[in-house]
């Protein structure tokens, strides 16, 4: 008799009932050719003894397999593996391993990657200095839950649960039209609006609509790493143009456009990632000229526009005369919460229609319920009030952090107070190992990035983004005290 005791292992701590575990294992043994068609299995009493289980459990497993036609009950003889199953050459008696091991058996494309910013800790409660994320404690979650509930309870909910327009909920696009006109001076109709899962999806879709293999794409140096990775994945050749305190070097962009075919420009006009600088008004005007002259398609990533502290923000390029070349991208993930994935793309109508078709190939549509809930929160003023409140708090946090860094770390660090956004770009005066800094910080109870992602594709930055928005005053003071010990 086969060594069923070693061939069938069961685990009572699993949610899957034990009889089902036995049945699944017997199917596996049949598929592996170890239990051949026509073979009689041990009687239920014997198998139960071998497996140290109740007989009823084995009977239930046999009955299950008989009903699935894997086994046949032969009167007075017992239970047999169905004779009509194909004969398979046995592999071995070894315990089967999951076919989903760590490596695929087939070749597939390598997707470029960088060490992403720190994930939230799963245990304990360390101090986390992130890349520049919002404070989830401030998010208008009760209003959010209320609206999600009211959407589900509305008589129209069943319509919202259907597939629909891949450009997003009409109600939200309508609200967006008003919102973007009021806050950014955009002159658009709802057909220029597409709702995406965060700004990131919009960046990918827009780029995929434009870039072909070996096309030249201009990006900042340094640049938002996920944009670089995305364009490279699409086959682009990146040309990195310096970013200084006035933003991306527009003269260099013009020079490049005059010397070769540039397929696209990607830039972050407000609170550039990672440096947090804002493109100056003078450079914007010059850039608009270049865009029109060379008919240069531009992705304007304005992911952080709603968070502005010093003065009224400069209006985006998208609000000016760009000759239909600017694709404007933004997000609500920073207002509602990073995992409430609602972003948007504003572009000419045909480009939106094409992007929606492309999106359908991987995501038939966005999340209608959450889009409707956000539309309600925009309409009733909740988002506006939340932004007002969080801007005030984030501004105080920015000022506190900058003041403390100045007084506690002095010349050891350099930074410019950002006009908005959620992080400061902190550079260290002496060359330091950011990896070691991050490791030492971790031993002192603080998680902070080693900043490797900012070095992607460009020269080493000797700096990190220090997110202030998600830390309260006490946490900011603690974080600076730890940083002081590490740096000094
Ligand atoms: C510059 C930039 N663009 C886009 C994104 C993506 O934002 P979302 O979470 O809306 O996809 C981020 C994320 O922080 C970012 O820093």
């Amino acid at each position: 008799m086969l060594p069923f005791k070693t061939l069938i292992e069961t685990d009572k701590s699993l949610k899957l009932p034990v009889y089902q575990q036995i049945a699944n294992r017997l199917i596996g043994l049949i598929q592996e050719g170890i239990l051949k068609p026509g073979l009689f299995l041990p009687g239920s009493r014997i198998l139960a003894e071998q497996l140290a289980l109740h007989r009823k459990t084995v009977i239930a497993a046999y009955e299950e397999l008989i009903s699935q036609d894997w086994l046949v009950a032969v009167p007075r003889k017992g239970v047999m593996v169905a004779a009509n199953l194909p004969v398979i050459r046995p592999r071995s008696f070894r315990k089967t391993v999951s076919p989903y091991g760590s490596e695929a058996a087939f070749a597939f494309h390598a997707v470029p990657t960088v060490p992403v910013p720190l994930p939230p800790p799963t245990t304990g409660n360390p101090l986390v200095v992130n890349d520049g994320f919002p404070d989830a404690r401030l998010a208008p979650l009760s209003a959010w839950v209320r609206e999600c509930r009211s959407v589900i309870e509305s008589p129209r909910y069943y319509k919202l649960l259907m597939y629909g327009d891949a450009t997003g909920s009409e109600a939200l696009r309508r609200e967006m039209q008003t919102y973007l006109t009021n806050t950014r001076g955009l002159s658009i109709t709802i057909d220029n609006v597409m709702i995406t899962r965060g700004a990131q999806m919009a960046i990918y879709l827009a780029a995929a609509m434009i870039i072909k293999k070996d096309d030249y794409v201009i990006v900042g140096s340094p640049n938002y790493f996920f944009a670089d990775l995305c364009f490279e994945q699409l086959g682009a050749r990146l040309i990195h143009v310096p970013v200084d305190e006035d933003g991306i070097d527009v003269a260099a962009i013009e020079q490049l456009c005059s010397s070769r075919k540039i397929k696209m420009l990607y830039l972050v006009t407000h609170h550039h990632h990672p440096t947090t600088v804002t493109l100056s008004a003078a450079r914007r005007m010059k850039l608009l000229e270049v865009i029109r002259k060379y008919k240069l398609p531009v992705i304007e990533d304005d992911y952080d526009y709603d968070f502005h502290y010093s003065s009224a923000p400069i209006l985006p390029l998208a609000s000016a005369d760009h000759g239909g070349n600017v694709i404007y991208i933004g997000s609500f993930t920073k207002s509602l919460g990073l995992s409430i994935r609602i972003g948007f793309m504003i572009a000419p109508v045909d480009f939106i229609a094409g992007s929606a078709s492309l999106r359908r190939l991987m995501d038939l549509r966005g999340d209608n319920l959450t889009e409707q809930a956000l539309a309600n929160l925009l309409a009733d003023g909740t988002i506006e009030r939340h932004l007002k409140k969080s801007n005030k708090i984030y501004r105080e946090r920015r000022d506190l952090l900058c003041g403390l860094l100045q007084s506690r770390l002095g010349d050891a660090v350099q930074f410019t107070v950002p006009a908005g956004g959620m992080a400061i770009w902190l550079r260290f005066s002496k060359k330091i190992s950011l990896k070691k800094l991050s490791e030492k910080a971790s031993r002192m109870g603080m998680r902070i990035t080693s900043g490797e992602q900012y070095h992607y594709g460009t020269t080493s930055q000797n700096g990190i983004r220090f997110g202030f928005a998600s830390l309260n005053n006490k946490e900011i003071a603690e974080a600076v005290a730890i940083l002081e010990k590490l740096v000094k």
Side-chain angles (χ1 to χ4, degrees), residues 11 27 80 95-97 115 171 173 185-186 199 222 234 244 263 271 274 276 279 282 295 312 329 393 408 410 426 454:
D11 181 351
I27 293 174
M80 180 186 89
K95 222 176 110 201
T96 46
V97 286
R173 286 187 294 130
L186 300 197
L234 293 166
D244 61 26
K263 202 57 181 289
H271 331 137
T276 76
L279 187 65
K295 295 192 173 44
I329 287 172
I393 295 172
R408 304 288 292 267
L426 187 68
Y454 312 128

Side-chain angles (χ1 to χ4, degrees), residues 197-200 203 224 266 268 273 301 303 331 333-334 341:
R197 290 193 187 268
Q200 192 62 43
I203 295 170
Y224 171 48
Y266 164 87
V268 185
H273 191 122
D301 179 356
Y303 73 114
S331 183
T333 61
K334 297 279 194 290
R341 306 291 309 153

Side-chain angles (χ1 to χ4, degrees), residues 115-118 129 131 428 432-439 441 447-455 460-465:
V116 287
L118 297 172
V129 177
D131 218 29
F428 299 98
I432 60 166
S433 160
L434 298 172
K435 192 161 178 283
K436 282 201 184 127
L437 179 94
S438 172
E439 285 164 4
R447 303 194 55 178
I448 192 161
T449 177
S450 61
E452 284 160 74
Q453 65 275 23
Y454 312 128
H455 307 168
S460 173
Q461 298 299 322
N462 202 33
I464 50 169
R465 274 168 70 92

